[in-house]
Amino acid sequence: MSMVPTLLSVEALSKSYGGVHAVRSVSFELRAGEILALIGPNGAGKSTCFDMLNGQNIPDSGRITLLGEDTVGRKPRAIWRLGVGRTFQITATFPTMTVRENVQVALVSYGRQLFNLWGSTAAYAREEAGRLLDLVGMGAYAGRPCGELAYGDLKRLELAIALANQPRLLLMDEPTAGMAPRERIELMRLTARIAREQSIGVLFTEHDMDVVFEHADRILVLNRGSLIAQGSPEEVRGNPQVRAIYLGEGLVYDARHREGAGA
Amino acid sequence: MRRRHVLGAGLAIAVAGMAGSAMAQSEIKIGEINSYSLLPAFTEPYRKGWQLAVEEVNAAGGINGKKLVVISKDDGGKPADAQTAANELVSSENVAMLAGTFLSNIGLAVSDFANQKKVFFLAAEPLTDAITWSKGNRYTFRLRPSNYMQAAMLVEEAAKLPAKRWATIAPNYEYGQSAVAVFKKLMSEKRPDIQWVDEQWPPQGKIDAGPVVQAVAAANPEAILNVTFGADLVKLVREGNTRGLFKGRSVVSFLTGEPEYLDPLKDETPEGWIVTGYPWYDIKTPDHDKFLKAYQAKYNDYPRLGSIVGYQTIKAAAAILAKANSTDPEKLIAATEGLSMPSPFGEITFRKIDHQSTLGAYVGKTALKDGKGVMVNSVYRKGADYLPSDAEVEKLRPK
Amino acid sequence: MAFYFVQFLTGLASAASLFLVASGLSIIFGVTRIVNFAHGAFYMLGAYMAFTLTERFSGALGFWGGIVAAALVVAAIGVLVEMVLLRRIYHAPELFQLLATFGLTLMVQDIVVLIWGPDDLLGRRAPSFRGAVDFFGQNIPSYDLFLIALSPVVLGVLWLLFQRTRWGVLVRAATQDRDMVAALGVNQKWLFTSVFALGVFLAALGGALQIPRDAVHHALDLRIIVEVFVVVVIGGLGSIIGAFVAAVLVSELNAFGILIFPKISIILVFLVMAVVLIVRPWGLFGKPEAAARRTPGLTVNPWRPLTSGERLMSLGALVLAAMLPLFAGNYALTVGSEIAIYVIFAASLHFLMSVGGLASFGHAAYFGLGAYGVAFLAKAAGLPMIVSLLLGPLLGLLGAAVFGFFAVQLSGVYFAMLTLAFAQIVWSIAFQWVTVTGGDNGILGVWPDKWASSPASFYWLSLAVAALAVAVLRVIVFSPFGFALRATRDSPLRSEAIGINGKRVQWTAFVISGTVAGIGGALFAYLKGSVFPDSLGISLSVDALVMVLLGGVETVSGAIIGAIVFKAANIWLVSQTDLSKLVLGGFIVLMVVAFPKGIVGTLETIRNRWRSPEKKSALAMSRIETAE
Ligand SMILES: Nc1ncnc2c1ncn2[C@@H]1O[C@H](COP(=O)(O)OP(=O)(O)OP(=O)(O)O)[C@@H](O)[C@H]1O
Ligand SMILES: [Mg+2]
């Protein structure tokens, strides 16, 4: 295992809002091809972690080393160019474009054609966009207006967008929220397969513990901003502190989760 | 009656206009443009004035037997729209000449259009000196006494004042700026001993009168030159009265004696200001009496200065057309240069040298009478006496 | 010393009236997100109504009662407007309400002249506030002292209203998050109506209270509306305290500014606003706007390039237009040229507004700069027309590059207001710098060279440039850059996360748009043969907005139709009637109600419905309706 390079290393990352410590001295590492789950109850600080990793949020303190580079203070777009794809807890797509165009924009950016005033976007990387959509099972929807998609499909589309820059690292904030249980398993299987094949590191959050325990290589447990446990699924399942947080729920999905928010 | 087409009929008229005028043989058309919607306070009486003139001209047999028709357009206060209107009048209505305009920039825009398209233009009201001098052209004549002339008339009186410390208040645009500049120049020539202690330039139509009055008072002038008019003047007078700005100070003011600007001041009219204007109630000449009677009979209202300008514009146009006996612009120019004619203010002449008419203005003092503002001790100043020497004018006009 | 103190008080008195009107605007915007252009019209109606009532009823009671009654009457008119007009269009694209209220403003300007006549009216002085109070030899009008005392009272009452009543809590909640109020099950309809009524009441009260110190006339609205917008924005949208502080700031800066720079007034508020917005993008007391959630149900159908059939049709329309000189006279051709130029101008703003999501309120700046560029080159440098036409728009480009850089750092209404400030700054430079620009007397004699001087050849030139400009902009819309621009508009979050430098993309779009506007301005200079500061002015900027909104902001090329319809109607009406504002305003209001998505937008919706009837329920859904 030690031969596999470290993609991401986080040291003592902290962020607070006023008195609220959203994230408190969190440290972990992620290797290429590894699938790492970040779990914790609502408000634990998961999204804040994601935001700091992709540059959307600036940590108060701590270090983030991505592919050997210190990325604290860099803009999301710069971090994206390093090879980081991301999906959002509340999906962020382009509602006035078709599904295919959503992916094409990402490909345009990847191909550094953003300031091309004269080409035709419709023709740009059409096959590649189709391939990515097929990959996430959205091929049939390519021509549909994005604004009409169901929430689960938007999540899939986000994955396709996130894969457009051939990322080395995928950050997925609740990628399966709003999906039926079977779809969840399928999407995560797909993600796992892509990760293994292309040696992409994946950090994801998930409230559905079935999904987490089936797919994660390792699990980080966050509570009130602090990392209270980390390790293999077995280790985490046995951790009494973790049990205490998810008491009585058999380590499953938090019912208060904002299902399909924004749909 | 306002000339206003019912909308439904408008289309038919527009179409008819484009088809050209079959009637052209028996009538002569003048195209008239003014800021009717933007400045109704001035242009309503103006319109009444020219409508009266049209009636009189036609009642007296028209122009060499042809009926005089005025086609009037609104420019909305925008030079670009005035150009569109001028174009319509010339291209689709085939008017013999253009006339009218109030604002200086619109006057200049139409004058430039006239020059380019070789159309005769009689500017009615714009005051800017540029229209006859620095930007004067062959095709443009102007009726009303210019900024320079009004300034010269006021300076004559102002120079007699003992005051040595002067302040100025003028709207911040070309008219205000050149009024102040000419006044200062002429005044300083006559009275090298005076000092200019403050100047205020409120934006036209947006005076914040309190601070302006306060600032002028702080400079403690002995006399004040005012160039603001309209709503700005009302605000200035009200603040000035309340704050005692005019107490113990002489005030010289452009245009304030015109009923358009004096009447709204009602019982708050400040007394003793030296102003140019139009004291219609005080003018006792046969020419004016005739006009006044006809005007009051037709409209049951008293005339404003705009009425005079509108009336005389069309009277002058008719005289020009009659003398030229043609609608050819070159013949119209030849006919106008040096042409003299009667007006309610007495005989006027269109000068050959700069195309300025010698229409003058009344200079007098403001006073309160029965709760209303009036001009008293008014004297008519002939325009011809307040123009620079021919040699100077030659230098001012482009070759 | 006494002088400075009195000058300070005088500034406060000016601030008082500004604050009353501004607070009303701010409240309305905060809750309904309506950019109420008619606010100045309500102010003016307040003054006229107060004039009538105070003339009719004598005595102190007659005066004060008349003032309050006037404000109440106008507030009732406001309620009517809200219920009959605005309610129908809350779900229309943002800024569409601006169009409606603009139409109303036009109407009111003519209506007051019809009712009250053209003359300036002098209202009564306030009983027992006629004189002045002596302060160490300086006179301060007692009515000023009354106004100075009044504004904190109004501020206090508003504060109590918002803090201590259930209604106030709802209003504050709605200001922060409109959806939340809907979720609370509040009857949003009546909340909006009551807020609008309060705002209009304050505007009318502000106007009514001016009658003892001002003249009542039909241009009062324009005098105040822009200034009030500026005050609201400086203070921070939706913040009453902000409006108060900004009104005081602006008035005091003016009161003391004129002591040093007597010509400062014309530009002061805009300078202050530009500085404030650059330093504090959300105004002094404003909060960053929550990322705009796009109204659901809008633009469900993504844009697509023209099909070959549609291309053929457009070409056909162009050929038809090119045949105009065969049967139309010179006047019609000149009007045709003017419309073609406005198509260019509107298309340039449309590109920025609908593709870029950036609604500029000062787009005339770039149009006018192009026109001045041509005038300088043709008159000062004496260059031939073709060279001036090619180089003149570069001045528009330059202006857009400089101002755009700062403007794109902001968004929404703040962007709009910063562009307005820049345009006003350019306007006042053109207006004041007489030696270079000729001031308001403009630059004359910019006539086309011989080859383009006949109306037909100029028409063909304008038409060709317009067709080219529209075609190029369309190509850009569907180019990778166009998609990057739309991406930035649709979701700043997502576009940044896929490597798009949104500000740079928007800046580029701003420059493109400004340049195209400059091309329109360049042609305009030759069409008119002259250039005036008007071509940089607010009313031209507003015209452009109206054309875009009328055509349909959510369409690819709706502005073309908007420009043709608006400009043709405008020219025709001005030529046919002195009441052109009344008719045009009424026309705009009707269009807004009949075509809530603009002409082209509505036509597209109808076509799409016809094609796929099952989708229509989703389209018709509006937030207001869902809230009920
Ligand atoms: N911009 C902000 N301002 C203030 N507090 C914030 C902000 N963003 C997050 N927080 C707070 O930080 C804490 C962590 O929030 P975060 O969104 O990271 O949680 P999460 O683990 O993603 O929760 P969820 O499962 O609900 O998505 C919460 O208490 C939240 O209220
Ligand atoms: Mg989260």
Side-chain angles (χ1 to χ4, degrees), chain A residues 77-152:
Chain A
R77 57 174 185 268
I79 293 173
W80 180 82
R81 296 245 174 244
L82 287 176
V84 178
R86 140 143 223 201
T87 69
F88 293 95
Q89 181 171 349
I90 298 173
T91 56
T93 54
F94 308 123
T96 68
M97 301 180 194
T98 64
V99 169
R100 183 188 294 112
E101 285 165 352
N102 265 270
V103 180
Q104 279 175 313
V105 176
L107 291 167
V108 159
S109 178
Y110 184 56
R112 295 194 174 271
Q113 295 295 309
L114 286 172
F115 289 87
N116 175 349
L117 299 173
W118 210 244
S120 153
T121 315
Y124 187 84
R126 205 180 164 89
E127 285 79 48
E128 175 67 3
R131 196 186 62 76
L132 286 167
L133 286 171
D134 286 339
L135 195 63
V136 299
M138 291 286 292
Y141 292 84
R144 289 280 281 274
C146 168
E148 286 179 357
L149 293 186
Y151 198 66

Side-chain angles (χ1 to χ4, degrees), chain C residues 70-92:
Chain C
L72 287 172
V73 170
V74 177
I77 297 174
V79 167
L80 204 68
V81 165
E82 200 274 347
M83 288 172 61
V84 174
L85 178 59
L86 298 179
R87 260 187 202 180
R88 296 173 191 275
I89 52 169
Y90 279 122
H91 57 279

Side-chain angles (χ1 to χ4, degrees), chain A residues 54 56 75-78 80-81 84 86-88 90 92-98 101-102 105-106 108-110 113-122 124 144-148 158 161-162, chain C residues 294 298-305 471-472 475-506 508 512 615:
Chain A
N54 92 316
Q56 217 147 279
K75 292 260 161 61
R77 57 174 185 268
W80 180 82
R81 296 245 174 244
V84 178
R86 140 143 223 201
T87 69
F88 293 95
I90 298 173
T93 54
F94 308 123
T96 68
M97 301 180 194
T98 64
E101 285 165 352
N102 265 270
V105 176
V108 159
S109 178
Y110 184 56
Q113 295 295 309
L114 286 172
F115 289 87
N116 175 349
L117 299 173
W118 210 244
S120 153
T121 315
Y124 187 84
R144 289 280 281 274
C146 168
E148 286 179 357
E158 273 213 315
I161 294 173
Chain C
R294 289 185 69 82
L298 288 177
T299 325
V300 173
N301 290 286
W303 292 346
R304 53 178 180 73
V472 166
V475 169
I476 295 177
V477 170
F478 293 103
S479 74
F481 174 78
F483 273 80
L485 184 60
R486 278 164 63 195
T488 310
R489 175 200 71 188
D490 278 4
S491 172
L493 184 66
R494 169 50 73 194
S495 54
E496 173 78 29
I498 56 168
I500 298 177
N501 184 341
K503 298 290 171 221
R504 242 195 35 229
V505 167
Q506 289 181 332
T508 309
I512 292 171
K615 278 189 217 156

Side-chain angles (χ1 to χ4, degrees), chain B residues 2-5 7-14 18 36-42 44-45 47 72-81 83-85 87-89 91-92 104-106 108-109 111-117 128 130 135 172-175 177 198-218 230-232 234-239 241-245 247 260-261 264-268 304, chain C residues 2-3 6-7 10-11 13-14 51 55 110 113-114 118-125 130-132 138-142 144 210-215 217-219 222-224 226-227 251 254-256 258-259 262-266 270 329-332 334-335 338 342 424 431-432 434 438-448 453 455 524 527-530 532-534 539 543 567 570-581 583:
Chain B
R2 291 175 169 212
R3 184 204 65 88
R4 192 165 295 140
H5 299 291
L7 279 179
L11 186 64
I13 287 161
M18 281 180 190
Y36 292 105
S37 57
L38 184 77
L39 304 162
F42 205 102
E44 279 307 313
R47 175 171 12 222
S72 166
K73 299 282 172 193
D74 178 28
D75 61 36
K78 295 177 185 157
D81 287 359
Q83 289 242 2
T84 307
N87 203 338
E88 181 182 5
L89 291 167
S91 307
S92 335
S104 292
N105 54 4
I106 292 181
L108 286 168
S111 144
D112 193 45
F113 173 89
N115 190 35
Q116 174 72 10
K117 308 280 171 181
T128 181
K135 288 175 186 162
N172 189 6
Y173 74 109
E174 195 269 350
Y175 164 62
Q177 287 159 6
D198 189 36
E199 51 186 47
Q200 285 301 321
W201 298 100
Q204 162 65 4
K206 290 188 184 174
I207 192 172
D208 191 2
V212 167
V213 164
Q214 202 61 29
V216 171
D232 284 347
V234 174
K235 281 188 97 172
L236 181 73
V237 165
R238 293 188 120 178
E239 284 290 338
N241 281 343
T242 320
R243 291 173 190 259
L245 174 68
K247 222 178 279 164
E260 284 90 334
Y261 306 129
L265 292 171
K266 293 202 275 197
D267 58 338
E268 299 192 28
R304 323 294 205 271
Chain C
F3 164 70
V6 170
Q7 190 73 345
T10 307
S14 308
F51 173 82
E55 292 293 300
D110 273 355
V113 175
L114 287 178
D119 295 320
D120 294 355
L121 304 173
L122 191 82
R124 259 171 76 191
R125 292 242 181 184
R130 287 167 204 278
Q138 304 275 330
N139 286 313
I140 174 118
S142 48
D144 278 20
Q210 286 306 303
I211 65 165
R213 56 204 306 256
D214 204 342
H217 57 97
H218 70 123
L222 290 185
R223 203 174 71 184
I224 191 114
V226 176
E227 202 148 321
S251 300
N254 185 50
F256 287 97
I258 59 169
L259 299 177
K263 289 187 177 173
I264 190 99
S265 299
I266 203 165
F270 298 101
N330 283 349
Y331 172 62
T334 316
V335 169
E338 187 158 346
Y342 274 84
Q424 278 305 94
F431 197 87
Q432 301 253 25
V434 179
D440 53 310
N441 279 352
I443 299 174
L444 305 175
V446 191
W447 294 101
S453 65
F524 192 70
L527 174 72
K528 297 291 175 185
S530 50
F532 294 93
D534 281 44
S539 87
D543 281 358
K567 201 62 209 172
N570 193 356
I571 292 175
W572 189 67
L573 285 171
V574 167
S575 162
Q576 294 307 313
T577 164
D578 292 343
L579 293 178
S580 57
K581 283 183 286 190
V583 182

